[in-house]
Amino acid sequence: MPNLSRRGLLAGSAALLAVPATASTAGASSAVDRGPAAEKILPDDVRYQDLVQRGTNRRFVAAPDYARVIRSPRDAVDAVQEAVRANKRIAIRGGGHCFEDFVDHSDVEVLLDLSQYDEVTFDERQRAFSVGAGATLETVYKALFYGWGVTVPGGGCLGVGVGGHFSGGGYGPLSRRYGSVVDHLYGVEVVVVDARRRARLVLATRDNEHRDLWWAHTGGGGGNFGVVTRYLLRSAGARGADPAKLLPKAPASLLSTVTVYDWNTVTKPGFLRTLRNFFDFYERHNAPGSPYATLYSPFILTHKSAGGFLLSTQLDAGVPNAAQLLKDFNAAIVAGVSPAPQLIDQGEGPFLHRTMERSIAEAVSPTRGKYKAGYLRKGYTDTQLETIYRHLTDASYQGPETSLLFVPYGGQVNTVAPDATATAQRDVMMKMVMAASWQDPAQDAVHLEWLRTTYRDIYRDTGGVPAPNAINAGSYINYPDGDLADPEQNTSGVPWHTLYYLGNYPRLRRIRKTWDPGNIFRHRLSIEPAE
């Protein structure tokens, strides 16, 4: 199967069917600067437009006074200090995948771009892998695998930057076996600003005196506490100094299949039965250590105007009886469904090669978009499934690049206490992502209305949002949605911060007050400092 575009997987491309006050700096980085110091890049500089338009959502494009390309921790400290002295609003960009306007906002005056600070090395002093905050997931996966044969359970969109992905929780195809990325996060190096408006570099780890700042970056979201310059990766409980034993061992190879559904032949009963089969399967096989712990099968439901939808499946070929497990899964999904969809067996392939092949590639031309999400503790009700079918088959709406995506989750993720990290959702089985994507600004209202109406209807019984109950567990901060803070869109009485952080929000507020007392680092859904 050819690489899927980010727009294709998260927005349903029809082309898929072609197949403290004086913080200590002890232990902070002493990395050698890479290239010239971060100069100001002004609007008349040839580099300016490329930097300010790196975001993937063209609904938002900022016009900062200047940008700086950060190549070292020293660059970051100097750039933050200068902006703070001038009372300028700062935004930080890594991979450029923020779905909302946290970076590309009209109030932003200084853009700090970390994309060039992307080194992946082993830090012998910390006994951890050091990852520059500008690295993309592809860079990290290749460096870890080719260097030491290890990996992290990060996402399947290889162009995503680790800067926001890691700090927001981070998950991907291997999370059901190995947990969230933050379960392997040993430390963060962060530029913070104290009460006297002094910028300085702090190293916070899970076992040093700044553990609270480390904890805040295990799901608290990007852009809340400072500028992360690098991450330190070492699995919780890992011992010794051998790098090859400090992160999860990568699979040797993967089995994979693709199941293709043609909207021209899919009936309503078949659709509903398919989704019920899918949810029931993962409810039965969500226990940590399940034989299906390595099964990853994002279900990409596109709008009917796309022509069809698909189920993309992979499984570690090295687990006992792998071929039969995959066969049984595919049979369970189509049980009682007529006509049966087309099953394409892609066979077995080497881990990294197959991961690259099945990844979400970057779109050449970023589009306009809107995204919504929710955690599932169990499958949706029959009424909710019928709501999904009704909206995906609504002939009055044409959205071939609009989709609803179900991503398997849980398993090993659920073995961690909800307050052990800032990632509070530790009793779930799946994530849901809704996405609309389009090119023409004149179509903004049409697509936004369809997406918002569909989402509200799915969660009609809980105030239009995934308010926590037996089925829902809130939403995922790395899929930010400003509508959750809008009382017209969220009538549940549950505030947006509870949907994202559940019971961890008060602690995050206290940490924010300690480490960013001047409220320097903020955006539309930033954590409010404690009073």
Side-chain angles (χ1 to χ4, degrees), residues 422-492:
T423 300
Q425 287 85 356
R426 297 289 188 165
D427 61 348
V428 295
M429 70 158 196
M430 196 168 294
K431 300 195 187 196
M432 182 277 287
V433 190
M434 290 181 63
S437 179
W438 64 97
Q439 295 280 357
D440 185 359
Q443 293 296 308
D444 284 5
V446 172
H447 295 287
L448 289 172
E449 178 61 23
W450 184 91
L451 199 71
R452 286 169 171 159
T453 300
T454 303
Y455 190 77
R456 286 198 307 269
D457 284 355
I458 291 172
Y459 295 111
R460 180 176 299 279
D461 292 341
T462 53
V465 299
N469 62 9
I471 294 177
N472 309 319
S475 193
Y476 178 45
I477 192 58
N478 277 357
Y479 300 148
D481 175 13
D483 289 349
L484 298 186
D486 182 350
E488 292 188 5
Q489 302 291 329
N490 176 3
T491 61
S492 69

Side-chain angles (χ1 to χ4, degrees), residues 309-396:
F309 55 94
L310 61 81
L311 176 67
S312 176
T313 304
Q314 69 179 52
L315 181 76
D316 182 352
V319 301
N321 206 25
Q324 188 62 48
L325 288 172
L326 185 57
K327 181 179 179 180
D328 290 347
F329 166 75
N330 284 321
I333 300 305
V334 300
V337 177
S338 180
Q342 179 187 11
L343 177 66
I344 303 172
D345 186 349
Q346 297 185 299
E348 182 175 346
F351 166 69
L352 192 59
H353 174 78
R354 185 56 56 90
T355 297
M356 297 296 116
E357 182 180 58
R358 295 172 60 82
S359 70
I360 309 170
E362 286 297 282
V364 176
S365 300
T367 62
R368 307 173 74 81
K370 176 65 179 177
Y371 305 81
K372 291 179 170 292
Y375 281 104
L376 281 75
R377 289 182 166 125
K378 57 188 290 188
Y380 285 144
T381 65
D382 290 345
T383 298
Q384 287 175 303
L385 296 187
E386 290 190 8
T387 297
I388 290 170
Y389 177 82
R390 174 165 52 85
H391 284 286
L392 289 180
T393 58
D394 178 6
S396 69

